[in-house]
Amino acid sequence: CEMRAGHAGVEAVRSIFVIVAAGIVALTLAACASDTEPSPAERAAAWDAQNIPPLHYKTDVLAYMRTYLNDPAKIRDAAISPPVEKTIAGYPGDRFVSCVRYNARDDKGHYAGDKTGIAVYVNGRLDRYFDTPALVKDACKDAALTPFPEMEKLTR
């Protein structure tokens, strides 16, 4: 009889322990879930903090084009616009953007015709380059392109 009472006491303590442990785990998970996600205002502030005008945008574009183009030599009619803030489809806010136009040779050595792309800058540096016609058309419709002779002097 005494043994049964002792066994019941142990079971009661185990039950209480399990309930307390489950409660601690639940509170810990709830605290983690609520503190890890930044608020919309924090996300917007972080986005805006990275929107720094590029100082060396031409140098960044030249370095990128040297690797992007199959044959960067003898480019014709190169032009670039100074970076301006624009909204790009798929982005949550404005970014500094330059439009880049050029006529490069294809893999057979023939000029392929004018192509235009957009350079997108984050933290003052080239981050992405798009040549998707729909994005380019919208972003570059009012761009003030100026000659870009440095691009015409690229070599392999």
Side-chain angles (χ1 to χ4, degrees), residues 75-127:
I75 291 173
R76 293 182 181 171
D77 306 321
I80 191 167
S81 68
V84 295
E85 284 186 85
K86 293 223 177 206
T87 301
I88 304 298
Y91 279 61
D94 288 350
R95 280 289 183 232
F96 279 94
V97 173
S98 289
C99 295
V100 182
R101 187 187 67 218
Y102 59 92
N103 187 354
R105 296 184 300 174
D106 62 19
D107 57 351
K108 294 180 179 114
H110 301 105
Y111 283 95
D114 284 346
K115 290 187 179 181
T116 304
I118 54 174
V120 181
Y121 304 92
V122 175
N123 287 324
R125 303 287 301 182
L126 179 65
D127 182 61

Side-chain angles (χ1 to χ4, degrees), residues 12 27 31 51 71 77 107 120 126 128 136 145 148:
L27 287 173
N51 208 22
D71 184 1
D77 306 321
D107 57 351
V120 181
L126 179 65
R128 302 200 72 191
V136 171
L145 292 166
F148 192 15

Side-chain angles (χ1 to χ4, degrees), residues 87-91 99 118 130-141:
T87 301
I88 304 298
Y91 279 61
C99 295
I118 54 174
F130 296 101
D131 59 4
T132 310
L135 284 175
V136 171
K137 182 180 178 184
D138 187 47
C140 296
K141 63 183 172 194

